[in-house]
């Protein structure tokens, strides 16, 4: 078994990846910006079913490191064979200054890669996103694959997809020019759902939370991909060890993209009365545009109104033997975890 570094241990994908690494017998070190977050991370892992004795053993340790500072990274990667670079900002609202996202994403990726190379790490698995694949295009493709890239200067592209695109490009450029044998594999998830382990969860889960609480009177006309966080973590582990994964990108998506209306119906069908507040009426685009003037969360969906995108995970399934859960299971499990953790407004 290997010693593995996971960056951003308090994050949703990172916590599930740590769980699976520990369950597989690996020794894990994870970074947090402040070591005061260690109890929060341990609580999330316990919620995920981790044995307390394992969590308290030497197989799980913590290191303080920030994506915008070199301090702490040499110590964090020391002795590690693999690195999962998962830490990256993902806001629920559009930032005033796009560099609030772009700078830590791009500089952080290169900073982690440089530290990994200097420490003799074998392979880094970078968590990128479908945001680095399917945005900024004049016309949407019928089905996106790993061969596609978002255009950071394209029409309607916002700060988050721009940050993910520039960060992943910078990572591949570093490997090509300065990698010195360091291997890189990239995971590109779509909207990540599945069991929340605490109040630190993905922005995608906020969609289910808003639906369950009826925070919107109806549903915007948008489509997005769905994947379960447990399957994203599984893909990270496969990309870490599979010989053919070096130098490759892998889309993490389950089935076809779904509309907000389909997501709402999944909740209704899977939860019955517990999803009584979930709206099913589709909202006209003009109403969303007006609402965005008062609610910054709505502003972020405007460029995607009416766009029909799709993507395929055929590469990951064929090369890595990856098999994702259904969209329905990912969505319903999300809501059940929010109920169990008492994270929904009454």
């Amino acid at each position: 078994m290997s010693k593995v570094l996971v960056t951003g241990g308090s994050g949703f994908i990172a916590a599930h990846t740590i769980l699976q690494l520990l369950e597989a017998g690996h020794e894990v070190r994870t970074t947090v910006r402040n070591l005061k977050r260690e109890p929060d991370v341990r609580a999330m892992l316990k919620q995920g079913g981790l044995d307390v004795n394992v969590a308290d053993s030497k197989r799980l340790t913590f290191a303080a490191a920030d994506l915008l500072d070199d301090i702490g990274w040499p110590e964090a990667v020391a002795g590690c064979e693999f690195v999962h670079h998962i830490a990256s900002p993902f806001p629920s609202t559009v930032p005033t200054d796009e560099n609030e996202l772009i700078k830590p994403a791009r500089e952080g990726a290169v900073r982690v890669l440089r530290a990994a190379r200097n420490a003799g790490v074998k392979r880094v698995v970078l968590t990128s996103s479908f945001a680095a694949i399917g945005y900024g295009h004049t016309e949407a493709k019928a089905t996106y694959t790993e061969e596609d890239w978002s255009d950071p200067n394209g029409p309607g592209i916002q700060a988050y997809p721009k940050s993910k695109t520039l960060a992943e490009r910078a990572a591949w450029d570093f490997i090509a020019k300065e990698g010195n044998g360091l291997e890189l594999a990239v995971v590109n998830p779509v909207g990540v759902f599945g069991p929340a382990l605490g109040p630190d969860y993905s922005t995608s889960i906020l969609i289910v939370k808003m639906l369950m609480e009826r925070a919107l009177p109806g549903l915007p006309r948008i489509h997005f991909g769905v994947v379960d966080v447990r399957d994203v973590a599984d893909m990270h582990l496969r990309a870490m060890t599979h010989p053919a994964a070096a130098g490759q990108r892998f889309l993490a998506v389950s089935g076809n993209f779904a509309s907000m209306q389909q997501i709402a119906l999944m909740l209704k069908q899977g939860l019955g009365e517990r999803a009584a507040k979930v709206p099913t009426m589709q909202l006209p685009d003009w109403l969303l545009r007006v609402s965005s003037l008062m609610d910054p969360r709505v502003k972020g969906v405007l460029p995607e109104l009416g766009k029909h995108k799709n993507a395929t995970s055929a590469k990951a399934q064929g090369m890595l033997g990856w098999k994702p859960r259904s969209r329905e299971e990912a969505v319903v499990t999300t809501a059940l975890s929010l109920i169990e953790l008492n994270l929904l407004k009454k």
Side-chain angles (χ1 to χ4, degrees):
M1 293 297 103
S2 304
K3 180 181 285 188
V4 184
L5 176 70
V6 177
T7 68
S10 61
F12 182 51
I13 296 174
H16 278 276
T17 302
I18 292 169
L19 278 171
Q20 292 192 20
L21 286 166
L22 290 171
E23 287 166 3
H26 297 289
E27 184 179 338
V28 177
R29 182 183 298 142
T30 188
T31 65
V32 286
R33 278 178 292 182
N34 191 315
L35 290 176
K36 292 179 180 178
R37 294 302 310 275
E38 179 176 341
D40 299 330
V41 178
R42 290 190 182 276
M44 292 170 71
L45 298 176
K46 185 177 180 181
Q47 175 65 31
L50 182 66
D51 185 286
V52 176
N53 293 325
V54 173
D56 288 337
S57 74
K58 292 181 180 179
R59 285 210 295 121
L60 176 62
T61 55
F62 290 75
D66 189 299
L67 294 178
L68 291 174
D69 197 324
D70 289 332
I71 296 172
W73 289 109
E75 294 79 10
V77 298
C80 292
E81 185 177 2
F82 300 105
V83 172
H84 292 278
H85 179 42
I86 303 177
S88 187
F90 188 176
S92 58
T93 59
V94 179
T96 306
D97 181 0
E98 65 180 13
N99 286 309
E100 291 177 26
L101 290 180
I102 293 171
K103 188 175 180 181
R106 181 167 54 192
E107 290 186 14
V110 173
R111 182 166 278 112
V112 171
L113 286 168
R114 183 177 293 113
R117 179 204 62 193
N118 293 345
V121 168
K122 179 179 180 181
R123 182 180 297 178
V124 173
V125 180
L126 171 71
T127 311
S128 184
S129 172
F130 175 73
I133 289 176
Y135 289 80
H137 305 122
T138 306
E139 295 183 10
K141 290 184 62 174
T143 304
Y144 287 95
T145 72
E146 290 85 354
E147 298 300 314
D148 297 303
W149 281 90
S150 293
D151 181 353
N153 300 309
I157 194 162
Q158 296 201 355
Y160 179 70
K162 190 171 183 177
S163 74
K164 297 304 286 188
T165 305
L166 294 174
E168 190 186 338
R169 287 285 198 189
W172 287 116
D173 287 345
F174 178 86
I175 291 297
K177 297 173 183 177
E178 304 177 51
N180 293 348
L182 175 65
E183 296 175 351
L184 177 66
V186 174
V187 175
N188 298 79
V190 291
V192 183
F193 297 82
L197 302 176
D200 284 304
Y201 48 72
S202 74
T203 304
S204 303
I205 285 186
L206 186 60
I207 295 170
V208 174
K209 187 175 189 293
M210 292 175 70
L211 289 175
M212 292 290 289
E213 295 172 345
R214 204 180 187 89
L216 290 173
L219 308 168
R221 207 166 51 91
I222 58 173
H223 291 71
F224 48 87
V226 174
V227 68
D228 193 293
V229 64
R230 294 165 292 183
D231 297 323
V232 176
D234 176 55
M235 185 181 286
H236 277 75
L237 267 68
R238 291 171 186 267
M240 178 180 86
T241 57
H242 198 292
Q248 302 293 329
R249 310 169 87 197
F250 297 98
L251 265 163
V253 56
S254 176
N256 292 323
F257 278 32
S259 67
M260 280 285 278
Q261 198 166 47
Q262 287 175 304
I263 298 293
L265 292 174
M266 289 176 196
L267 292 169
K268 290 281 194 185
Q269 293 164 4
L271 296 169
E273 283 302 311
R274 287 176 292 182
K277 292 183 180 180
V278 174
T280 56
M281 179 185 71
Q282 194 160 270
L283 295 175
D285 294 353
W286 66 264
L287 184 57
L288 270 296
R289 297 186 195 284
V290 172
S291 300
S292 70
L293 300 175
M294 298 167 284
D295 188 343
R297 293 177 300 181
V298 178
K299 186 178 180 181
V301 308
L302 295 183
E304 298 305 306
L305 289 176
K307 290 185 179 179
H308 292 263
K309 297 178 181 179
N310 216 342
T312 175
S313 60
K315 179 179 177 180
Q317 294 190 50
M319 185 180 290
L320 303 180
W322 183 72
K323 291 182 172 57
R325 293 166 173 80
S326 70
R327 301 179 306 174
E328 291 78 9
E329 181 179 351
V331 169
V332 171
T333 303
T334 302
L336 288 173
S337 69
L338 293 174
I339 293 170
E340 179 187 351
L341 293 168
N342 200 30
L343 292 174
L344 298 176
K345 294 178 183 176
K346 302 297 184 185

